Amino acid sequence: MVRCGAAVLRKYSNFIDDLRVYVRGGTGGMGYPNLGGEGGRGGDVWFVARERTTLKSIREKYPQKRFVAGTGANSSVKALKGEKGKDCEVHVPLGISVLDDDGKQIGELNAAGERFLAARGGLGGSLATNFLPCKGQRRTVHLDLKLIADVGLVGFPNAGKSSLLSKISHAKPEIANYAFTTIQPELGKIMYADYKQISVADLPGLIEGAHANKGMGHKFLKHVERTKQLLLVVDISGFQLSMKTQFRTAFETILLLTKELELYKEELVTKPALLAINKMDLPCAKDNLDELMTQLENPQDFFHLLEEEMIPENTLEFREVIPISTYTGEGIEELKTCLRKSIDEQAEQMNEEYRKKKLLLLQTSK
């Protein structure tokens, strides 16, 4: 079992990807029975997606984590129709899922400016309510953040994901020689000569059993959901988490990573994927790579060498396999080129599908 020390936990607490908040719509205003006047409706509570906003900043600005909209104005002789109460707008990061207390998703905010009605204001007093105001909707909800990125780096601890991110982007993740180097997600951008940018997320390293929430389990896997493509980073010399755990070859590592993704959510293994074989500067790396490429050509031929629980239902089909060394810089430029090509091809494919749908709708309407 991997134990995270207090320092590690403190560091991870700097990044917040789940926040529980209380929201309440405003109470409606009083009606005016003598003249049939209607009170104003209570204000609403809205979540509004906004760039450069974090859940941490929300918690710091609103430590009580309570958001209450304004009360509707009472009906009066001067204003028989009371004004609506003031709305409460809460700016949230992009990539937020809104969950109720039972864990059911009730909303999603992925683009800047998108809005979600979190709590509706109560009706003002009127003839229908015997001129008495109604209270606003109230509930507790969870703001669940899943990072949005073009590419998500997937790999076991010490595969070299943080080093790779620092090589291909301007991000400066902490790099050290111990398990769970990446304690919190890091985002970087690859900048190309024509000003094209590709966002890359380095996510906390998986361990076997991550799908069952071991290690950082779900804190890692949920962030993979909203990346457009996966980049698996694998140590060519294999991986062993500790002396108590079994050594895994590069081929076994790839199958285990695929299995963890599949067990968490099957859709993850349908994402376009590339494979970066890291640490090609090590002795015997070339021989190990030749063996790995043979295994990847026909993976089913080698399944008999593995425990049954290690074998995924579907193997990942990699668009490109790129040998690299984050130590010497070997293959880094080629990797950046492959990522650009893969992202552009995916965008073109999505545009083509969109054009076909529009054309089909046009033909149907005629």
Side-chain angles (χ1 to χ4, degrees), residues 305-356:
L305 303 173
L306 309 172
E307 303 98 315
E308 188 175 343
E309 60 270 16
M310 280 182 60
I311 303 171
E313 293 290 329
N314 300 286
T315 53
L316 283 168
E317 293 187 11
F318 298 108
R319 292 189 170 193
E320 300 281 353
V321 178
I322 311 101
I324 65 168
S325 169
T326 56
Y327 181 71
T328 66
E330 174 191 346
I332 298 299
E333 289 305 315
E334 181 188 352
L335 175 60
K336 289 165 68 173
T337 301
C338 290
L339 285 172
R340 169 70 182 269
K341 179 185 174 186
S342 186
I343 290 291
D344 287 348
E345 286 177 350
Q346 184 183 20
E348 180 56 36
Q349 183 182 348
M350 291 175 69
N351 288 337
E352 183 61 29
E353 289 174 359
Y354 177 75
R355 285 194 290 267
K356 286 181 179 178

Side-chain angles (χ1 to χ4, degrees), residues 8 10 17 21 41 74 87 96 117 203 205 216 245 275:
V8 168
R10 281 197 300 271
D17 51 17
V21 300
R41 238 192 77 207
N74 295 333
D87 287 347
I96 283 290
L117 181 59
L203 307 167
M216 291 185 178
T245 59
L275 175 63

Side-chain angles (χ1 to χ4, degrees), residues 11 157-159 162 173-184 202 205:
K11 182 178 176 186
N158 286 8
S162 297
E174 182 179 331
I175 299 168
N177 188 28
Y178 54 84
F180 291 121
T181 305
T182 304
I183 305 302
Q184 59 190 43
D202 173 24

Side-chain angles (χ1 to χ4, degrees), residues 180-242:
F180 291 121
T181 305
T182 304
I183 305 302
Q184 59 190 43
E186 295 277 355
L187 277 173
K189 286 187 181 292
I190 306 175
M191 308 287 289
Y192 294 90
D194 61 354
Y195 303 106
K196 167 80 173 182
Q197 297 182 26
I198 291 178
S199 57
V200 182
D202 173 24
L203 307 167
L206 283 169
I207 63 169
E208 292 181 45
H211 71 277
N213 212 17
K214 290 184 181 179
M216 291 185 178
H218 295 173
K219 281 187 176 294
F220 163 85
L221 288 164
K222 74 172 186 176
H223 292 299
V224 182
E225 292 184 50
R226 287 197 180 144
T227 57
K228 295 177 183 175
Q229 300 196 7
L230 305 179
L231 175 60
L232 269 66
V233 184
V234 173
D235 186 335
I236 188 59
S237 60
F239 170 70
Q240 186 173 19
L241 183 65
S242 70

